[in-house]
Amino acid sequence: MAELNNLYACFKYLMMFFSAIIFIAGGVLFGLGLWIKYGTGSFIQAIGSFSTQFINIGYICIGVGSVLVVIGLIGCCGAWKENRCLLLLFFCIVSIIYITEVVGAVLIFIYKDIVESVVRNTSRVSLIHAYAGPVATDTISQAWNLIMLKYQCCGFDNYTDFTGSQFSNSTGLSYPKTCCVNLKEPACDGKNTANTIIHEKVGTMIVSAVLFVRIGQPRNED
């Protein structure tokens, strides 16, 4: 009997432990949602017409985080007070979440290439048709300048992304100054493409990190 009681106590505290993890995960998601909504003002301006989608992600994080916090509390309270109703409710909710996660993971795996293709195409379209240069004040240009300066990359794949672009056609340059390793280097003239002059780091992974955010499209299509 003593061994059975010890096993029961072990399950009880194990249940509380997993519930605490769910509670903490919910709190992290809730905090992330608040950060997206209130702490990313400049980035939201930079992504222009797709800012609504980014803000919606914040709302989703807040909503999901709140639900997880409640589920964690239900699990902890049910285990601590040994309440069968709360434990049954916890089990049903968690089962639904797990099924949803499995379905979501399968869908993401199936459509991963499609999502990556959409991100690549829309990002390159914004770079070719809307990027106006390092001193431009429009949100698309500022977004690309910020990415290239902060992550030390040049375009989406490399400097050849600017070939035939609005920027290249209007300035006659092969790349903007924000591609340069040293912005004050005299050889950084928009034509010298030596790997010691411009960044070779690929920006693909950087841009793909915001899979739910498509960085602008041409605002005016004549």
Side-chain angles (χ1 to χ4, degrees):
M1 181 63 69
E3 292 182 357
L4 185 61
N5 288 336
N6 290 336
L7 182 62
Y8 178 77
C10 179
F11 278 119
K12 175 180 177 179
Y13 289 115
L14 187 62
M15 172 74 176
M16 292 180 64
F17 174 74
F18 284 120
S19 297
I21 292 177
I22 293 175
F23 179 86
I24 294 172
V28 171
L29 267 180
F30 185 81
L32 177 63
L34 291 179
W35 176 78
I36 291 175
K37 188 175 187 310
Y38 297 107
T40 57
S42 59
F43 183 70
I44 287 175
Q45 288 181 351
I47 60 178
S49 59
F50 294 97
S51 59
T52 301
Q53 297 179 23
F54 191 65
I55 294 175
N56 287 339
I57 293 174
Y59 287 131
I60 292 173
C61 288
I62 292 174
V64 173
S66 301
V67 171
L68 290 179
V69 167
V70 173
I71 293 173
L73 286 175
I74 291 174
C76 284
C77 292
W80 180 256
K81 295 184 178 181
E82 301 179 8
N83 187 303
R84 295 183 65 184
C85 291
L86 290 178
L87 291 175
L88 180 61
L89 178 62
F90 176 85
F91 176 78
C92 291
I93 294 175
V94 170
S95 297
I96 293 173
I97 291 175
Y98 282 155
I99 293 173
T100 304
E101 287 179 347
V102 170
V103 173
V106 171
L107 291 176
I108 289 174
F109 179 78
I110 293 174
Y111 294 106
K112 179 185 66 173
D113 293 337
I114 296 177
V115 173
E116 290 180 353
S117 176
V118 169
V119 172
R120 171 181 290 273
N121 292 336
T122 53
S123 298
R124 294 192 69 176
V125 164
S126 73
L127 183 67
I128 293 172
H129 296 288
Y131 180 76
V135 295
T137 57
D138 64 283
T139 55
I140 302 303
S141 299
Q142 288 180 341
W144 274 109
N145 288 327
L146 177 63
I147 290 172
M148 289 188 288
L149 286 173
K150 185 172 183 179
Y151 297 102
Q152 299 181 348
C153 58
C154 188
F156 194 86
D157 290 318
N158 52 49
Y159 75 92
T160 59
D161 289 336
F162 295 96
T163 302
S165 67
Q166 173 184 307
F167 166 78
S168 182
N169 291 337
S170 62
T171 63
L173 302 177
S174 299
Y175 57 85
K177 206 171 187 64
T178 44
C179 282
C180 296
V181 175
N182 184 352
L183 299 180
K184 298 180 180 180
E185 172 64 47
C188 176
D189 55 6
K191 295 184 180 295
N192 189 333
T193 58
N195 55 15
T196 56
I197 302 299
I198 59 176
H199 293 294
E200 290 191 321
K201 185 187 295 182
V202 177
T204 303
M205 295 304 297
I206 298 166
V207 181
S208 296
V210 286
L211 286 178
F212 294 102
V213 183
R214 295 183 296 176
I215 301 180
Q217 289 179 333
R219 294 177 175 241
N220 299 314
E221 296 183 359
D222 298 325

